[in-house]
Amino acid sequence: MGEQPAEYLQGVVERLTFHAAESGYTIARFKVPRTSEPVTVTGSFANIQPGQTLHLTGQWRNHPKYGEQFQVFKYRETKPATLTGLEKYLGSGLIKGVGSVTAKRIVAHFGLDTLDIIEHDIERLQEVPGIARKRVKLIQTAWETQKVIKEVMLFLQGHGVSTTYAVKIFKQYGEDAIEIVSRNPYQLAQDVYGIGFITADTIARNLGIAPGSPFRYRSGLVHVLNGAAEEGHCFLPQEDLVSQGVKCLTLEDHHPDPQVLTTLIADMAQTGELVTQAQDDSLVCYAPAFYQAERHLAARVQTLLGEPLEVDSPRVKRWIDRFIAATGLPLSEEQRQAVALASSQRVCILTGGPGTGKTFTTRTIVALWQAMGKSMALASPTGRAAQRLSEITGKEAKTIHRLLEFDPSTMRFKRDTENPLPVDAVVVDEASMLDLFLAHSLFKAIPPTAQLLLVGDIDQLPSVGAGNVLGDLMASKQVPVIRLTQVFRQAQASRIVQNAHAINQGQYPALESVSASPVTDCLWLGAPEPEDGVQGIQDILRNLIPNLGFDPVRDIQMLCPMTRGAVGTRNLNQVLQGVLNPPGPDKAEINRGGLTLRVGDRVIQQVNDYNRDVFNGDLGTITAIDLEEQEVTVQFEARSVTYDRADLNEITLAWAVTIHKSQGSEYPVVILPIYMQHYLMLSRNLLYTGLTRAKQLAILVGPKKAIGLAVRQVKAQERYTLLSQRLAGQVSQPVFSIHGLSSK
């Protein structure tokens, strides 16, 4: 079925029901000639006032609660044709200095020539009683501003920019928008959230920018580096950047010369747009921020490791003996070594798989530091992991962002080298989730006199963000590491724990087929095709899960390798929403870009929003939707957060999330669909990470072939980083220095 054809309306804005200044999103009542009642229109408007005469392009939509509404895609302002329209238009508040009384006087004096007079001979307004020269200047300034908005909007819409983006662009650049966009539309990709290289490239082509323009090539190369960062890389080898750049910049009638891009990379390194560095007989290319963060993180780690630390080891040994006697809980030899190591090192790493006692070891180290009189800070990258750390240690734990006191007004952390954390020891759990930038910020805030313990499972997936910090710290052999390997007897009874270790050793897991009365905590449903899996998952949620005493809404988390496909998060979220949170007369819902959000839905935050104090990966539940104000309220643990419609792209349904997004979280029950359609993503540590998110029950869904492939594929998450080499002193100096970087 094809798209609906565009429809048109012309009329006058009667009143604004809602207008969001930041996004421009508006709900208005709109009077159309020869209709008895005004209609409701919705859309993004840079500046809209009652009394404006507008020509609208859009489509009619039927809202389940509010009935028919006209959804506006494009609009342009037209001059009112009647004296009444002129009075409304001028008196609407659109022009500062003209209220309803003054508007009537002006129109009474000039009649239908009013707008021509204001446009071409504004000094004549002094002929109107009550308007002095000073007021004419005020009116002139306001009129010019309105003209600029109108011109910018018409220009952008005329070059294929949607109304929503046009509003954002105008708010970013103001009256300079036409000049900036005309000169270099690729600047939009850097400056305006939501506009990437592809959108900017479309605008550029509409503007007639040459396919071989240096602006286009530079932006394309930056786009490729940004894409690499999203896949976890801190840099790209030059040959990769060139080959991917050629692919990105190729059009049907234009094929970039790789040599031109190679030369351009050298130019960009000279101007500071990139940093290039010789390494292992090749040239690597960084975006400057990644180069700075990686270099300075390595230097900071080396500084902390170099600080001497005096420890009374016999006293520590005696304390451990007393602690074991007092608690009645023995420590294994590995655990004793871990506690002793943490007490004697500035920085150390504690790692190990499920059931090896990381939790108890961490709690013991915290108790030791407390007994030594050390002031402590405990943190984790996610709120859920911080809450768990607090529960196991009995001490307050925070997210790293809150620990470092992020300030939205400056977009910086208050805690850094100049203002370090006022503590003697820091414990960071789920350290495998630390990406390059968060790790850099954390290490900057650790005072040289403090100790740092990083706790994490090195066999899990690395961070969602760029870098492989925990892996690099261990690989450098500069940071002391204790790896717990002994699985304790109590944990050995769990098939989840047994299978996690088996998967890590490349062995196919021992799985019990799904039945009405399972005897283990690790089950398998061998639905051969993805469509069978979707049906099987629905049956599990409707029947098995409630019969086993779990709440399908609160206790279950679906974890998928990817977003796409029948068993990807996008489709499964729609399916699970229908099963777990179907529509009802008492449930308000709102549509955002084809996605329906409903009261009661589980949602996930997709970006760091420092103003709302919610972060990528935070899970919450929609508790209210105000359709009049176009606001959605989400409960995140103990905090309630409100989004207006323009910011709804920050959240999405989370009945199903990717395994990557589940890091740092645990759930009573996890369902894992594993199919060959996701073969590119299937890997041992992906399956291991997903399985170990389950506390009480794990259910794998899919053919044995796909599960076997995941077990066999040892993708060590090869990421382009040089942190390990920097720590070990094996990195060359950059080929080009860049502006603003010291040579220290």
Side-chain angles (χ1 to χ4, degrees):
M1 207 166 98
E3 289 187 8
Q4 282 180 259
E7 299 176 78
Y8 306 94
L9 283 184
Q10 181 145 336
V12 178
V13 180
E14 188 167 276
R15 73 172 188 275
L16 302 183
T17 305
F18 172 77
H19 178 68
E22 279 305 305
S23 66
Y25 181 77
T26 302
I27 306 170
R29 298 289 280 165
F30 192 69
K31 189 73 176 75
V32 180
R34 294 182 295 284
T35 57
S36 56
E37 287 292 316
V39 299
T40 300
V41 299
T42 65
S44 293
F45 295 81
N47 192 9
I48 184 170
Q49 297 288 345
Q52 277 181 289
T53 301
L54 301 176
H55 181 277
L56 309 177
T57 303
Q59 287 174 349
W60 287 101
R61 295 277 190 267
N62 193 34
H63 191 282
K65 184 173 179 182
Y66 295 108
E68 275 205 318
Q69 298 180 342
F70 191 78
Q71 186 178 347
V72 179
F73 304 150
K74 288 200 309 186
Y75 71 92
R76 59 183 171 83
E77 190 176 359
T78 60
K79 292 181 181 179
T82 66
L83 294 180
T84 308
L86 278 169
E87 284 178 12
K88 265 196 166 184
Y89 177 66
L90 290 178
S92 65
L94 190 72
I95 304 163
K96 195 174 177 184
V98 179
S100 58
V101 175
T102 305
K104 278 185 178 172
R105 286 183 191 153
I106 293 171
V107 174
H109 190 81
F110 295 114
L112 291 173
D113 295 329
T114 297
L115 294 184
D116 284 333
I117 296 292
I118 294 174
E119 181 80 41
H120 303 296
D121 198 3
I122 199 165
E123 294 294 331
R124 285 191 60 194
L125 288 184
Q126 292 177 80
E127 296 173 16
V128 179
I131 298 184
R133 182 172 180 77
K134 186 177 178 184
R135 200 164 178 199
V136 170
K137 288 292 177 196
L138 191 67
I139 294 169
Q140 186 174 20
T141 302
W143 181 255
E144 292 297 328
T145 301
Q146 293 310 309
K147 276 173 58 184
V148 167
I149 292 175
K150 191 178 357 174
E151 286 168 7
V152 170
M153 296 301 286
L154 286 172
F155 168 80
L156 293 171
Q157 289 176 359
H159 288 93
V161 182
S162 72
T163 305
T164 302
Y165 284 140
V167 170
K168 287 186 172 187
I169 292 166
F170 179 78
K171 290 187 182 301
Q172 176 75 29
Y173 300 130
E175 62 184 46
D176 297 327
I178 293 176
E179 194 252 327
I180 290 170
V181 174
S182 299
R183 186 180 72 246
N184 179 15
Y186 296 100
Q187 194 169 331
L188 295 171
Q190 297 174 41
D191 297 343
V192 182
Y193 176 71
I195 295 184
F197 172 78
I198 293 167
T199 303
D201 203 29
T202 302
I203 295 168
R205 289 208 296 280
N206 286 332
L207 286 167
I209 302 286
S213 157
F215 285 136
R216 181 170 187 265
Y217 278 16
R218 286 170 189 268
S219 182
L221 290 171
V222 170
H223 172 69
V224 168
L225 277 181
N226 289 339
E230 287 175 10
E231 293 179 4
H233 303 299
C234 296
F235 63 83
L236 280 179
Q238 180 174 270
E239 62 264 28
D240 287 15
L241 180 55
V242 170
S243 64
Q244 291 180 39
V246 167
K247 198 172 176 182
C248 165
L249 294 163
T250 294
L251 299 171
E252 195 174 329
D253 56 349
H254 180 77
H255 300 277
D257 180 349
Q259 188 53 51
V260 171
L261 293 186
T262 302
T263 303
L264 185 60
I265 287 169
D267 292 343
M268 292 173 75
Q270 290 282 17
T271 59
E273 295 165 87
L274 298 178
V275 179
T276 53
Q277 181 160 353
Q279 186 68 21
D280 298 332
D281 301 322
S282 68
L283 204 62
V284 302
C285 304
Y286 284 88
F290 288 83
Y291 173 75
Q292 291 186 39
E294 189 178 86
R295 190 175 67 113
H296 291 151
L297 171 58
R300 189 70 190 156
V301 173
Q302 288 167 332
T303 298
L304 289 174
L305 290 171
E307 288 290 330
L309 178 68
E310 290 185 15
V311 178
D312 187 343
S313 296
R315 187 179 172 193
V316 169
K317 184 179 181 304
R318 289 194 299 273
W319 181 90
I320 293 173
D321 292 336
R322 287 198 307 273
F323 180 81
I324 292 170
T327 60
L329 298 169
L331 289 170
S332 68
E333 186 54 38
E334 285 179 341
Q335 289 176 312
R336 288 184 72 105
Q337 288 177 21
V339 175
L341 185 72
S343 71
S344 64
Q345 300 295 324
R346 282 284 174 215
V347 182
C348 75
I349 293 169
L350 172 64
T351 189
T356 57
K358 283 199 311 297
T359 296
F360 184 59
T361 306
T362 302
R363 193 164 74 200
T364 306
I365 292 166
V366 168
L368 169 60
W369 277 343
Q370 197 165 8
M372 294 170 77
K374 290 181 180 289
S375 58
M376 268 177 288
L378 280 66
S380 182
T382 69
R384 288 193 167 206
Q387 186 179 355
R388 198 167 63 248
L389 181 60
S390 183
E391 289 165 1
I392 66 174
T393 60
K395 293 181 66 66
E396 182 191 19
K398 300 178 179 179
T399 63
I400 294 174
H401 281 88
R402 293 192 179 104
L403 177 69
L404 302 184
E405 299 173 31
F406 188 84
D407 182 359
S409 64
T410 61
M411 295 301 286
R412 291 176 175 275
F413 291 108
K414 291 180 181 176
R415 296 292 177 183
D416 57 16
T417 48
E418 304 299 317
N419 182 31
L421 293 163
V423 294
D424 302 314
V426 178
V427 178
V428 175
D429 197 13
E430 297 291 350
S432 62
M433 296 179 68
L434 286 173
D435 65 28
L436 175 66
F437 292 102
L438 192 57
H440 180 218
S441 297
L442 171 69
F443 272 85
K444 280 200 298 185
I446 306 292
T449 54
Q451 292 176 262
L452 173 63
L453 171 67
L454 297 173
V455 184
D457 186 345
I458 192 60
D459 295 314
Q460 283 188 35
L461 291 167
S463 57
V464 174
N468 186 18
V469 174
L470 186 66
D472 286 347
L473 291 175
M474 291 176 64
S476 73
K477 304 198 182 306
Q478 305 300 303
V479 181
V481 177
I482 282 286
R483 183 162 191 160
L484 303 177
T485 58
Q486 180 185 336
V487 179
F488 286 87
R489 192 169 61 219
Q490 185 180 356
Q492 285 174 356
S494 165
R495 189 68 68 80
I496 293 172
V497 172
Q498 292 174 27
N499 282 334
H501 288 280
I503 288 165
N504 242 352
Q505 291 158 21
Q507 298 166 10
Y508 191 90
L511 301 169
E512 178 189 354
S513 293
V514 166
S515 67
S517 304
V519 295
T520 69
D521 59 2
C522 200
L523 309 180
W524 170 63
L525 178 68
E529 297 298 328
E531 292 72 19
D532 304 325
V534 173
Q535 185 58 54
I537 287 165
Q538 293 178 73
D539 294 341
I540 287 169
L541 292 172
R542 289 192 177 109
N543 302 310
L544 178 65
I545 294 301
N547 292 343
L548 294 177
F550 294 106
D551 182 332
V553 174
R554 285 200 304 269
D555 295 337
I556 314 303
Q557 185 60 61
M558 184 77 54
L559 300 181
C560 308
M562 290 178 74
T563 58
R564 296 190 296 275
V567 284
T569 58
R570 287 178 196 156
N571 182 56
L572 283 175
N573 266 316
Q574 304 284 336
V575 171
L576 269 59
Q577 184 188 47
V579 174
L580 302 175
N581 191 33
D586 58 338
K587 288 183 187 173
E589 57 183 47
I590 191 168
N591 190 280
R592 184 218 78 202
L595 176 71
T596 298
L597 297 173
R598 188 175 295 142
V599 169
D601 275 335
R602 185 186 301 163
V603 292
I604 188 169
Q605 178 75 14
Q606 301 189 101
V607 294
N608 289 337
D609 186 330
Y610 299 106
N611 292 310
R612 289 186 175 89
D613 201 24
V614 285
F615 301 97
N616 189 356
D618 286 353
L619 287 175
T621 302
I622 296 177
T623 53
I625 295 176
D626 186 329
L627 291 168
E628 190 67 27
E629 296 294 330
Q630 296 282 298
E631 289 181 341
V632 174
T633 303
V634 179
Q635 188 70 32
F636 289 98
E637 294 175 356
R639 298 181 58 253
S640 185
V641 177
T642 299
Y643 299 80
D644 61 36
R645 187 185 182 91
D647 294 324
L648 286 181
N649 61 344
E650 290 191 6
I651 59 173
T652 194
L653 290 174
W655 300 111
V657 299
T658 62
I659 295 172
H660 276 89
K661 289 274 187 175
S662 73
Q663 289 173 266
S665 297
E666 288 182 345
Y667 314 96
V669 181
V670 163
I671 301 176
L672 286 163
I674 305 293
Y675 280 87
M676 293 303 291
Q677 67 176 215
H678 294 155
Y679 75 95
L680 285 174
M681 286 295 295
L682 296 181
S683 68
R684 188 176 296 176
N685 57 359
L686 184 93
L687 181 58
Y688 173 88
T689 301
L691 184 64
T692 54
R693 300 309 89 209
K695 287 195 289 187
Q696 294 169 256
L697 179 66
I699 305 175
L700 276 67
V701 178
K704 288 186 175 182
K705 180 181 177 183
I707 297 169
L709 177 67
V711 172
R712 289 193 305 275
Q713 289 206 120
V714 186
K715 292 182 180 173
Q717 292 297 315
E718 287 293 333
R719 293 183 167 194
Y720 288 124
T721 83
L722 285 176
L723 178 60
S724 172
Q725 291 91 328
R726 289 184 196 282
L727 286 167
Q730 298 167 352
V731 172
S732 317
Q733 289 301 308
V735 177
F736 298 105
S737 62
I738 74 168
H739 305 299
L741 279 184
S742 68
S743 57
K744 293 177 186 174

